[in-house]
Amino acid sequence: MKRLKIPPALHQFQCPASRHTRGQLLKFAAKYRPEDKLEKKRRLRSSAEAKLKDPTAAAIKKKQAISYGIQLVTRLVERKAAKLVLIAFDVEPVEIVLFLPALCRKMEVPYAIVKDKSLLGKLVGLKTTSCIAFTGVKPADQPAFDKLLECVSATFNDRFEEIKKKWGGMRLSTKSKQRLAKKKKAK
């Protein structure tokens, strides 16, 4: 596969975010884990108890969390509700997430391609997930989130035109390299 020409749309998935950036993104995303079944049960129970005591009491709001899954993330990007999208680079088949960088670029939503779908899956309590999206952040975390957005935008969104033109693959075998060197030397 290394000797075949790889179109730019596919090749961009061979160049994920740096290790440092990925670590910062995942560390930040861990703060916004979606609630699990037990937390949801507790929240609903306490809301119901509060409703019994005082019928005019407002329901306890669900905490801000990351959204996951290709269908939901696509919907959020189309509505411009997503603030940042993280896409796994090892999704199989890649056609599932192939359109997402172009869609994010069109809707002006920052996106990053990260190394492992299982890391994204751990964040949301699943084995794997293809992508996650931040829909909002707490005001206290806003400065850190803005720094991450700046870094991600510089790496992916601002370089979209360059990434769009770069073909991958096309590595020559040792024999081919020697034959080209021989032709070059003969000239």
Side-chain angles (χ1 to χ4, degrees):
M1 289 299 285
K2 292 178 183 174
R3 296 191 183 119
L4 298 175
K5 281 177 105 175
I6 299 173
L10 281 175
H11 181 65
Q12 69 183 338
F13 287 94
Q14 302 299 318
C15 310
S18 69
R19 191 175 187 181
H20 178 69
T21 306
R22 182 184 71 207
Q24 287 180 329
L25 287 167
L26 295 176
K27 188 176 178 182
F28 188 82
K31 296 178 187 177
Y32 291 92
R33 281 196 145 124
E35 61 185 5
D36 58 4
K37 289 180 181 180
L38 192 60
E39 289 173 348
K40 183 177 180 180
K41 190 175 181 180
R42 285 184 194 140
R43 179 178 57 86
L44 293 175
R45 179 170 283 142
S46 62
S47 178
E49 288 170 358
K51 209 60 152 160
L52 282 174
K53 290 177 185 175
D54 183 21
T56 60
I60 298 172
K61 286 190 176 181
K62 193 174 162 182
K63 70 176 189 174
Q64 287 183 329
I66 48 179
S67 304
Y68 57 94
I70 189 69
Q71 190 173 12
L72 180 57
V73 170
T74 303
R75 208 174 307 133
L76 289 170
V77 171
E78 287 172 345
R79 294 180 187 158
K80 294 187 178 182
K83 306 290 184 233
L84 174 65
V85 176
L86 302 181
I87 308 165
F89 90 129
D90 57 345
V91 176
E92 196 62 43
V94 76
E95 288 83 7
I96 293 173
V97 293
L98 193 60
F99 69 94
L100 207 49
L103 180 65
C104 288
R105 170 77 171 142
K106 181 182 176 194
M107 299 307 233
E108 297 174 355
V109 174
Y111 73 94
I113 297 171
V114 294
K115 192 122 181 166
D116 204 4
K117 64 183 177 182
S118 63
L119 289 175
L120 294 181
K122 284 179 188 176
L123 286 173
V124 295
L126 298 172
K127 210 185 234 183
T128 62
T129 189
S130 57
C131 54
I132 63 173
F134 289 90
T135 52
V137 293
K138 298 171 190 165
D141 292 334
Q142 193 63 44
F145 187 66
D146 290 339
K147 271 188 174 179
L148 282 174
L149 285 181
E150 187 179 312
C151 180
V152 164
S153 293
T155 308
F156 291 97
N157 289 56
D158 297 344
R159 291 183 49 233
F160 188 75
E161 292 302 318
E162 176 189 331
I163 291 169
K164 193 169 75 171
K165 294 176 185 174
K166 187 174 181 193
W167 283 72
M170 301 182 289
R171 293 190 186 152
L172 298 176
S173 67
T174 309
K175 251 185 175 177
S176 296
K177 287 178 187 175
Q178 289 172 349
R179 190 176 61 225
L180 285 174
K182 190 175 179 183
K183 283 182 181 179
K184 203 174 193 180
K185 196 175 185 183
K187 286 183 182 181

